Amino acid sequence: MAREFTSVGVVGLGTMGAGIVEVFARNGIDVVAVEISAAAVERGRATLTGSTDRAVAKGKLAEADRDALLARVDWQVGLDALHSVDLVIEAVPEHLDLKQRIFAELDRVCKPEAILATNTSSLSVTEISVATTRPNQVIGIHFFNPAPVMKLVEVVRTVVTSADVVADVEALCERLGKVDVTISDRAGFIANALLFGYLNHAVSMFESRYATREDIDAAMKLGCGLPMGPLALMDLIGLDTAYEILDTMYRRGGRDRRHAPVPLIKQMVTAGLLGRKSGRGFYTYERPGSPVVVPDEHTPVTTGAALADGARATAKVGIVGSGTMATGIIEVFAKAGYEVISVTRGAEKSAKVCEAVKTSLNKGVVRGKLSEEDRDAALGRVTWSATLDHLADVDLVVEAVVEELSVKKALFASLDEICKPGVVLATTTSSLPVIDVAMATQRPADVIGLHFFNPAPIMPLVEIVQTIRTSAETSATARAVCAALGKTGVVCGDRSGFIVNALLFPYLNDAVKMLEASYSTADDIDYAMKLGCGYPMGPFELLDVVGLDVSLAIQRELYLELREPGFAPAPLLEHLVTAGYLGRKSGRGFRDHTKR
């Protein structure tokens, strides 16, 4: 039988600590809430009161339940107040020496059978435990912020943590309505080990001026369905906290350069630009602690007039290709009012594309998202062709053929001969260098990448990829067209992976390496990222959907360009692809889909 915890102590009543107090008190457990001073206690009390009052106002907590919750909390100054609790959770700032001093004192104060837990998100639980005479009773219980809302708890055992202690804490998590994943003591555990490499890479993109903060954040929210962009998330976490976590992970995690904090982070911390809590980080906020972003000197002008400034007039669009992406892009342009010429490699393929577009538009009518008149008008704007010569008088060509450089270069060489001067030639490549395609023409200034996401009619993001030869006029035209399509266009340079894939696939690769090292299971890693970070899919779910072969190809391209050891494809990923385990499309990837 698991131990019954009737009283717990929480040390440190900042945002995290106060949230943990609320979690226990909501579930009928008496809490002794401890801080270093009376003023700090009052700040913690105000945080808890504010949180519960908001819950009442939203109808998520009855007034009587709030009052009962608050009555379960005993606010105290000093650790001596914890002498009779069954469990203590420490939630003070991420400094090892501070935590070790607290645990040494808790060891003296608390009853012999009490469990001592740390909420650290990156420090070594083992190093904290050895400050006590009972390291077998020390464990990590890592809640996620905001603790009352987030379902995940990482339970971190050291090599000496008692199995009974682990079982007791797992049962407690279930009582609290949390989903626990139990793991060993390793830098960053699951969620932070996967999250912070991605965040650090995003800061590196911004530092190098590869893309704006707004475009990086929009790309990851709209392209991957993430709840926040990486730079906005850094501001929420706090740049000082992020720096400490990254620095700890770098020192404890094998000195992987991907976890070495980008110099800009330390510079911003030194300058006091800590994120929301200071009122300014990557973004500027209404006031310290406010989530409301206000314009500053870096905020881009996004009016229609500004987007169209310098853009060429675009009325007729040619789309080359017969696959899923080409079909979706035809629909997008036709619905937006453009005259479209669809070019495929034969009448039979044209007929199939035409039928696919009709089917998709009809679904829109059935779902009430499109009137029959608008459907008919969209279809009436499309001309079906099997010859590139029909693109002689278009204003824009979008290429969506097979992802092979030789094929694309041959196509662009032909377009260069056929199309009139001033036409924007766009490639939808997701992984190939746009400059290689551009140099197949005599007009590289007119060539740009327009990377639509699948399915094109639904996904709101387009990556606008500029080469070093792309003209300002071509870029302005691409931005204006994306705006006219109702899409969010994010501008970036011509580097492998652009924004989304360059940030997404190393994170997925890291998850495979974590599984390969037997640190955790695919299910627990997926739970950690969905429940701890709010991701719509866990990394292994996503890999099986994308296709392991596609993922491996993208990761290889990133590694070849960046030559960073941390980007080398995980051997397990390569082995699965070799074995034909490609994900859902083959019936098996990281999971067996034939049994579902």
PDB file of all heavy atoms in Angstrom, residues 2-14:
ATOM      1  N   ALA A   2       0.498   2.221  -0.839  1.00  0.00           N
ATOM      2  CA  ALA A   2       1.238   3.480  -0.882  1.00  0.00           C
ATOM      3  C   ALA A   2       0.976   4.288   0.384  1.00  0.00           C
ATOM      4  O   ALA A   2      -0.088   4.195   0.994  1.00  0.00           O
ATOM      5  CB  ALA A   2       0.822   4.290  -2.105  1.00  0.00           C
ATOM      6  N   ARG A   3       1.957   5.074   0.753  1.00  0.00           N
ATOM      7  CA  ARG A   3       1.833   5.914   1.938  1.00  0.00           C
ATOM      8  C   ARG A   3       0.745   6.972   1.739  1.00  0.00           C
ATOM      9  O   ARG A   3       0.587   7.514   0.665  1.00  0.00           O
ATOM     10  CB  ARG A   3       3.180   6.601   2.188  1.00  0.00           C
ATOM     11  CG  ARG A   3       3.217   7.393   3.488  1.00  0.00           C
ATOM     12  CD  ARG A   3       4.450   8.260   3.628  1.00  0.00           C
ATOM     13  NE  ARG A   3       5.693   7.600   3.242  1.00  0.00           N
ATOM     14  CZ  ARG A   3       6.893   8.076   3.600  1.00  0.00           C
ATOM     15  NH1 ARG A   3       6.997   9.154   4.339  1.00  0.00           N
ATOM     16  NH2 ARG A   3       7.982   7.461   3.193  1.00  0.00           N
ATOM     17  N   GLU A   4       0.017   7.283   2.797  1.00  0.00           N
ATOM     18  CA  GLU A   4      -1.003   8.329   2.755  1.00  0.00           C
ATOM     19  C   GLU A   4      -0.386   9.630   3.257  1.00  0.00           C
ATOM     20  O   GLU A   4       0.029   9.730   4.418  1.00  0.00           O
ATOM     21  CB  GLU A   4      -2.194   7.935   3.639  1.00  0.00           C
ATOM     22  CG  GLU A   4      -3.335   8.940   3.628  1.00  0.00           C
ATOM     23  CD  GLU A   4      -4.088   8.981   2.308  1.00  0.00           C
ATOM     24  OE1 GLU A   4      -4.050   7.984   1.562  1.00  0.00           O
ATOM     25  OE2 GLU A   4      -4.717  10.022   2.026  1.00  0.00           O
ATOM     26  N   PHE A   5      -0.300  10.619   2.389  1.00  0.00           N
ATOM     27  CA  PHE A   5       0.256  11.914   2.785  1.00  0.00           C
ATOM     28  C   PHE A   5      -0.878  12.803   3.295  1.00  0.00           C
ATOM     29  O   PHE A   5      -1.804  13.130   2.550  1.00  0.00           O
ATOM     30  CB  PHE A   5       0.937  12.589   1.586  1.00  0.00           C
ATOM     31  CG  PHE A   5       2.153  11.854   1.081  1.00  0.00           C
ATOM     32  CD1 PHE A   5       2.058  10.951   0.023  1.00  0.00           C
ATOM     33  CD2 PHE A   5       3.393  12.059   1.668  1.00  0.00           C
ATOM     34  CE1 PHE A   5       3.171  10.286  -0.445  1.00  0.00           C
ATOM     35  CE2 PHE A   5       4.522  11.384   1.204  1.00  0.00           C
ATOM     36  CZ  PHE A   5       4.411  10.489   0.150  1.00  0.00           C
ATOM     37  N   THR A   6      -0.802  13.195   4.553  1.00  0.00           N
ATOM     38  CA  THR A   6      -1.848  14.058   5.126  1.00  0.00           C
ATOM     39  C   THR A   6      -1.399  15.508   5.215  1.00  0.00           C
ATOM     40  O   THR A   6      -2.224  16.420   5.241  1.00  0.00           O
ATOM     41  CB  THR A   6      -2.240  13.577   6.531  1.00  0.00           C
ATOM     42  OG1 THR A   6      -1.070  13.554   7.366  1.00  0.00           O
ATOM     43  CG2 THR A   6      -2.845  12.175   6.468  1.00  0.00           C
ATOM     44  N   SER A   7      -0.085  15.732   5.247  1.00  0.00           N
ATOM     45  CA  SER A   7       0.418  17.104   5.282  1.00  0.00           C
ATOM     46  C   SER A   7       1.716  17.196   4.491  1.00  0.00           C
ATOM     47  O   SER A   7       2.544  16.281   4.539  1.00  0.00           O
ATOM     48  CB  SER A   7       0.658  17.563   6.728  1.00  0.00           C
ATOM     49  OG  SER A   7       1.677  16.785   7.319  1.00  0.00           O
ATOM     50  N   VAL A   8       1.874  18.257   3.744  1.00  0.00           N
ATOM     51  CA  VAL A   8       3.098  18.483   2.978  1.00  0.00           C
ATOM     52  C   VAL A   8       3.609  19.886   3.236  1.00  0.00           C
ATOM     53  O   VAL A   8       2.840  20.789   3.624  1.00  0.00           O
ATOM     54  CB  VAL A   8       2.866  18.297   1.455  1.00  0.00           C
ATOM     55  CG1 VAL A   8       2.334  16.917   1.150  1.00  0.00           C
ATOM     56  CG2 VAL A   8       1.934  19.361   0.910  1.00  0.00           C
ATOM     57  N   GLY A   9       4.885  20.073   3.018  1.00  0.00           N
ATOM     58  CA  GLY A   9       5.471  21.398   3.111  1.00  0.00           C
ATOM     59  C   GLY A   9       5.956  21.848   1.749  1.00  0.00           C
ATOM     60  O   GLY A   9       6.390  21.022   0.939  1.00  0.00           O
ATOM     61  N   VAL A  10       5.852  23.134   1.478  1.00  0.00           N
ATOM     62  CA  VAL A  10       6.386  23.715   0.245  1.00  0.00           C
ATOM     63  C   VAL A  10       7.326  24.848   0.635  1.00  0.00           C
ATOM     64  O   VAL A  10       6.929  25.765   1.354  1.00  0.00           O
ATOM     65  CB  VAL A  10       5.263  24.239  -0.675  1.00  0.00           C
ATOM     66  CG1 VAL A  10       5.869  24.889  -1.911  1.00  0.00           C
ATOM     67  CG2 VAL A  10       4.318  23.111  -1.070  1.00  0.00           C
ATOM     68  N   VAL A  11       8.553  24.767   0.156  1.00  0.00           N
ATOM     69  CA  VAL A  11       9.571  25.776   0.463  1.00  0.00           C
ATOM     70  C   VAL A  11       9.813  26.622  -0.775  1.00  0.00           C
ATOM     71  O   VAL A  11      10.214  26.101  -1.821  1.00  0.00           O
ATOM     72  CB  VAL A  11      10.892  25.103   0.904  1.00  0.00           C
ATOM     73  CG1 VAL A  11      11.934  26.171   1.231  1.00  0.00           C
ATOM     74  CG2 VAL A  11      10.666  24.195   2.090  1.00  0.00           C
ATOM     75  N   GLY A  12       9.557  27.914  -0.640  1.00  0.00           N
ATOM     76  CA  GLY A  12       9.693  28.821  -1.785  1.00  0.00           C
ATOM     77  C   GLY A  12       8.334  29.086  -2.388  1.00  0.00           C
ATOM     78  O   GLY A  12       7.700  28.165  -2.908  1.00  0.00           O
ATOM     79  N   LEU A  13       7.864  30.331  -2.294  1.00  0.00           N
ATOM     80  CA  LEU A  13       6.486  30.645  -2.686  1.00  0.00           C
ATOM     81  C   LEU A  13       6.424  31.643  -3.843  1.00  0.00           C
ATOM     82  O   LEU A  13       5.577  32.531  -3.887  1.00  0.00           O
ATOM     83  CB  LEU A  13       5.701  31.183  -1.472  1.00  0.00           C
ATOM     84  CG  LEU A  13       5.681  30.242  -0.256  1.00  0.00           C
ATOM     85  CD1 LEU A  13       4.963  30.893   0.909  1.00  0.00           C
ATOM     86  CD2 LEU A  13       5.037  28.907  -0.615  1.00  0.00           C
ATOM     87  N   GLY A  14       7.342  31.473  -4.796  1.00  0.00           N
ATOM     88  CA  GLY A  14       7.223  32.230  -6.034  1.00  0.00           C
ATOM     89  C   GLY A  14       6.077  31.669  -6.863  1.00  0.00           C
ATOM     90  O   GLY A  14       5.228  30.927  -6.351  1.00  0.00           O
TER      91      GLY A  14
END
